[in-house]
Amino acid sequence: MVSAEGGEEGTRLVIEAPATAAATALGDSVSVDGVDLTATEIANGRMTFVAVRETLQRSTIGRLAPGAEVNLEPALRAGEPLGGHYVQGHVDGLCRVRSVERDGVSQRVSFDTAPSLLRYVVEKGSVAVQGVALTVTAVDDATFGVALIPFTLSETTLGTIAVGDVLNLEVDVLAKYVERLIAGRIPSSS
């Protein structure tokens, strides 16, 4: 990242990423650490985005400092193959790294998050942490875990996380839709 200007009312982010910028047009969505942002300026290998209050309150975007590394991913275009998990770039909230353990060539990471988000996390389901789609390996009443493969460790910012870090979390949107659809069909116990 090149710069972050503003405050809690809104922040203007400038990110240098020549390859991503070359493939991005004004108005395109780009996931920045899992947050779907709209490109408002593109020039000289740099993209500019504006993060509004809602985004700043729900995510870590407002904590970014010049020089910070971020995960970037352009939006999937209609007709392109879907080669991973179904995620939207709509951060639901935050999670905190509880543990990081080496497991052969991979790392097992566990996270704490709010019960209101954990309810949408299931073993072998998907989540996105810092915009990186991951398969859930374990869930209990307070935490969920993932296994980070060597490629993820070397190609994303997840390779540098540490216990206590606060990260962006997107839970399974399909689970939220199912809950919403069946909520009106379940008889009230009152």
Side-chain angles (χ1 to χ4, degrees), residues 15-30:
I15 297 174
E16 186 167 359
T20 303
T24 302
L26 286 179
D28 280 358
S29 292
V30 177

Side-chain angles (χ1 to χ4, degrees), residues 110-178:
S110 71
F111 300 93
D112 294 316
T113 194
S116 61
L117 296 176
L118 193 59
R119 69 192 285 157
Y120 302 112
V121 179
V122 297
E123 188 172 341
K124 299 303 177 195
S126 61
V127 294
V129 176
Q130 291 300 91
V132 180
L134 302 168
T135 300
V136 176
T137 58
V139 181
D140 61 29
D141 292 340
T143 66
F144 71 93
V146 300
L148 303 179
I149 64 172
F151 183 85
T152 302
L153 293 169
S154 68
E155 299 298 319
T156 73
T157 61
L158 296 182
T160 62
I161 61 174
V163 172
D165 286 353
V166 175
L167 306 172
N168 295 323
L169 174 64
E170 178 181 342
V171 296
D172 187 351
V173 68
L174 300 176
K176 294 189 299 185
Y177 279 124
V178 168

Side-chain angles (χ1 to χ4, degrees), residues 20-176:
T20 303
T24 302
L26 286 179
D28 280 358
S29 292
V30 177
S31 171
V32 179
D33 276 350
V35 179
D36 182 26
L37 297 175
T38 301
T40 58
E41 295 175 40
I42 302 166
N44 303 317
R46 294 179 176 185
M47 300 170 291
T48 301
F49 306 93
V50 175
V52 298
R53 184 190 307 249
E54 167 73 8
T55 301
L56 297 171
Q57 290 174 342
R58 264 189 208 261
S59 73
T60 61
I61 290 292
R63 300 175 192 167
L64 289 175
E69 289 195 18
V70 294
N71 296 315
L72 294 175
E73 185 169 8
L76 181 68
R77 298 192 189 289
E80 290 180 347
L82 180 60
H85 301 260
Y86 184 71
V87 296
Q88 296 182 298
H90 299 163
V91 172
D92 293 297
L94 303 173
C95 60
R96 181 179 306 274
V97 178
R98 178 180 243 195
S99 68
V100 178
E101 299 172 8
R102 206 59 156 143
D103 186 18
V105 296
S106 67
Q107 284 185 352
R108 289 194 173 273
V109 182
S110 71
F111 300 93
D112 294 316
T113 194
S116 61
L117 296 176
L118 193 59
R119 69 192 285 157
Y120 302 112
V121 179
V122 297
E123 188 172 341
K124 299 303 177 195
S126 61
V127 294
V129 176
Q130 291 300 91
V132 180
L134 302 168
T135 300
V136 176
T137 58
V139 181
D140 61 29
D141 292 340
T143 66
F144 71 93
V146 300
L148 303 179
I149 64 172
F151 183 85
T152 302
L153 293 169
S154 68
E155 299 298 319
T156 73
T157 61
L158 296 182
T160 62
I161 61 174
V163 172
D165 286 353
V166 175
L167 306 172
N168 295 323
L169 174 64
E170 178 181 342
V171 296
D172 187 351
V173 68
L174 300 176
K176 294 189 299 185

